[in-house]
Amino acid sequence: QVQLVESGGGLVQAGGSLRLSCAASGNIFSINTMGWYRQAPGKQRELVAGITTGGTTNYADSVKGRFTISRDNAKNTVYLQMNSLKPEDTAVYYCNLHTIVAGTLRPRDYWGQGTQVTVSS
């Protein structure tokens, strides 16, 4: 079974930084995408950033230049370095793994439990 465990959330002042980590365990196909989604109260869940095993990244326009996503393929771990945080970044951040089930080759999404990020003004 695949499990994603997140860490690094917390409370920070505007302009500060946080680093989120998400470690995936289990049988994971070697080619996949890991990313971060967030959901704030009253808002829809949105993609924050994603990264493939090959290193291709994608960012929401709202975080470009402030957030950096990276990963360690050997550890199946993805990181999100968040700098210059703004109050509007406040949300529950969810780690996501988009991969293929080895036995069926069907796409599958796995989710972390979510970690709260709160940015005070």
Side-chain angles (χ1 to χ4, degrees):
Q1 297 295 324
V2 174
Q3 185 176 14
L4 276 59
V5 179
E6 303 170 345
S7 63
L11 175 65
V12 66
Q13 291 279 346
S17 298
L18 286 173
R19 186 174 187 249
L20 305 182
S21 299
C22 174
S25 61
N27 293 324
I28 303 170
F29 191 66
S30 60
I31 302 175
N32 59 70
T33 297
M34 297 187 74
W36 294 91
Y37 290 73
R38 68 185 181 188
Q39 187 164 24
K43 299 183 67 176
Q44 294 184 331
R45 183 190 300 177
E46 64 175 346
L47 173 67
V48 178
I51 184 169
T52 69
T53 48
T56 301
T57 59
N58 183 43
Y59 295 93
D61 289 339
S62 60
V63 307
K64 287 181 179 178
R66 300 187 298 120
F67 292 9
T68 301
I69 190 168
S70 61
R71 64 183 294 164
D72 185 334
N73 290 336
K75 297 180 179 180
N76 285 318
T77 300
V78 64
Y79 308 93
L80 185 67
Q81 179 66 47
M82 303 185 293
N83 298 326
S84 301
L85 282 162
K86 304 175 181 179
E88 50 262 46
D89 295 318
T90 296
V92 177
Y93 285 69
Y94 296 92
C95 181
N96 169 264
L97 170 65
H98 182 72
T99 187
I100 296 174
V101 179
T104 65
L105 300 183
R106 293 183 176 183
R108 179 74 179 271
D109 282 288
Y110 299 91
W111 296 91
Q113 79 283 358
T115 184
Q116 177 70 46
V117 172
T118 301
V119 184
S120 61
S121 60

